[in-house]
Amino acid sequence: MARAATVTIDLDAIVHNYRLAKSLAPDQQALAVIKADAYGHGAVTVARKLQSEVDAFAVACIEEAVELRVAGIRKPILLLEGFFTADELNYISEQNLWTAVHSDHQIDAIASSNVSKPIDVWIKIDTGMHRLGFAPDEFMAAYERLKALPQVGNLVMMSHFSSADDLTSPVTQAQLEVFDALQAQCPIPMSIANSAGTLMHNRARRNWQRPGIMLYGSSPFSDQPALDAQLKPAMTLTSEIIAIHDLQAGDAVGYSGTFVCDQPTRVGTVAMGYADGYPRQAKTGTPVIVNGQRTRIIGRVSMDMLTVDLTGLDAGLGSKVELWGKHLLANEVAPWADTISYTLFTGITRRVHRKVKG
Ligand SMILES: *Cc1c(COP(=O)(O)O)cnc(C)c1O
């Protein structure tokens, strides 16, 4: 009836993973980070499922927040990247959005606005990532200015880790020290923990955790099987075998013939390619599951198809193929394409059929 390429989203898994994040800091609060269409899982669907239990949501920008408000989501939503132009401020105020503020020009814009209700502001501090935020020695001035403005409501201090997924890196500790030194001067609520911080850095857990990738059941760590066992993968990408060819030693497979059979090889063609969001960079050897059995991709991934090794497997036309999901972690696939699970999840395109469970 139809091309089988399908992404299945398990909403109960996301609820489970959010509860896990909350359980790690039960007296504190946690934003559910659903930017980038909930990391490709569908922001509106995920928000509807989570809204009765999350403390608040976070997205990157106002466009993403508007989508949620239009869909009837009422919880507060933090704009992690802040606002870009002053004309966003009225909507932010009216719709109970919270905004990151990372620079003086944004404070100027708020000061010249005439918003109807005060806006809650998360002051972004650069504690070492050097991407966005006030330098530590600029923080107090920014805080004092914001505090004095009638257009501003509650204040939170936030920062972001650059290396929390590397447990051997001294940078996380150094960032926390900078953050704590500012907190000593200015005791307002704090937020620094992303998923890696929430899961593995006790000292990073503050008033607000900001779990993202872990909500989708993917660990930010590549080498923590105990965490993998606690998280439930929410996205499963599947398709089917649409053709089978028995090749001889010396036969080449796919574009540029990058894979050459060294023995008689049964090759299965799968309806899944880079235009579906499967990474073209995935090398020969990338794991894949066919009819419940692990095998590997061989040859180049093309736009609409890829090829797998079926030699010695119990598989035929129409056999189910799992590219990643419940039985094969995206974290295991990602390094074969020199990437991370985040890009796999956010890369699924609209050609892929979507199913939602739960
Ligand atoms: C995306 C994002 C997060 C979530 O990060 P994960 O690694 O997905 O948990 C947290 N904070 C900020 C500022 C972000 O941009």
Side-chain angles (χ1 to χ4, degrees), residues 33 35 39 80 124 131 158-160 193-196 210-214 220 342:
V33 180
K35 61 186 174 186
Y39 293 44
L80 291 164
K124 178 93 182 226
R131 186 181 63 177
M158 77 181 293
S159 192
H160 195 55
N194 53 3
S195 296
R210 304 194 306 267
I213 195 72
M214 71 173 286
Y342 299 65

Side-chain angles (χ1 to χ4, degrees), residues 85-107:
T85 51
D87 58 5
E88 297 171 34
L89 288 169
N90 280 323
Y91 189 88
I92 289 173
S93 156
E94 283 156 20
Q95 294 291 324
N96 193 23
L97 307 184
W98 303 341
T99 183
V101 161
H102 58 81
S103 69
D104 284 319
H105 77 264
Q106 290 178 311
I107 304 183

Side-chain angles (χ1 to χ4, degrees), residues 95-244:
Q95 294 291 324
N96 193 23
L97 307 184
W98 303 341
T99 183
V101 161
H102 58 81
S103 69
D104 284 319
H105 77 264
Q106 290 178 311
I107 304 183
D108 296 341
I110 296 174
S112 359
S113 75
N114 55 356
V115 295
S116 52
K117 285 182 281 171
I119 296 174
D120 287 2
V121 167
W122 290 43
I123 309 170
K124 178 93 182 226
I125 306 158
D126 174 15
T127 55
M129 176 124 174
H130 299 139
R131 186 181 63 177
L132 203 64
F134 294 99
D137 63 3
E138 298 166 346
F139 166 70
M140 278 313 290
Y143 168 76
E144 297 293 354
R145 267 194 87 193
L146 285 163
K147 201 176 65 152
L149 290 178
Q151 296 95 329
V152 172
N154 297 314
L155 292 171
V156 175
M157 54 194 279
M158 77 181 293
S159 192
H160 195 55
F161 287 130
S162 72
S163 313
D165 57 332
D166 175 1
L167 295 175
T168 64
S169 167
V171 172
T172 300
Q173 188 57 34
Q175 287 191 259
L176 278 170
E177 277 163 25
V178 174
F179 205 40
D180 282 336
L182 298 177
Q183 165 81 6
Q185 303 170 53
C186 174
I188 57 174
M190 310 172 85
S191 175
I192 191 166
N194 53 3
S195 296
T198 304
L199 287 164
M200 294 297 275
H201 298 274
N202 300 348
R203 289 201 47 230
R205 296 179 195 134
R206 301 295 165 96
N207 307 78
W208 284 96
Q209 311 343 303
R210 304 194 306 267
I213 195 72
M214 71 173 286
L215 299 181
Y216 310 103
S218 188
S219 166
F221 304 96
S222 49
D223 54 351
Q224 299 288 330
L227 281 185
D228 291 334
Q230 285 178 275
L231 294 165
K232 290 194 182 164
M235 176 190 286
T236 301
L237 182 65
T238 54
S239 191
E240 284 178 10
I241 302 285
I242 59 165
I244 295 181

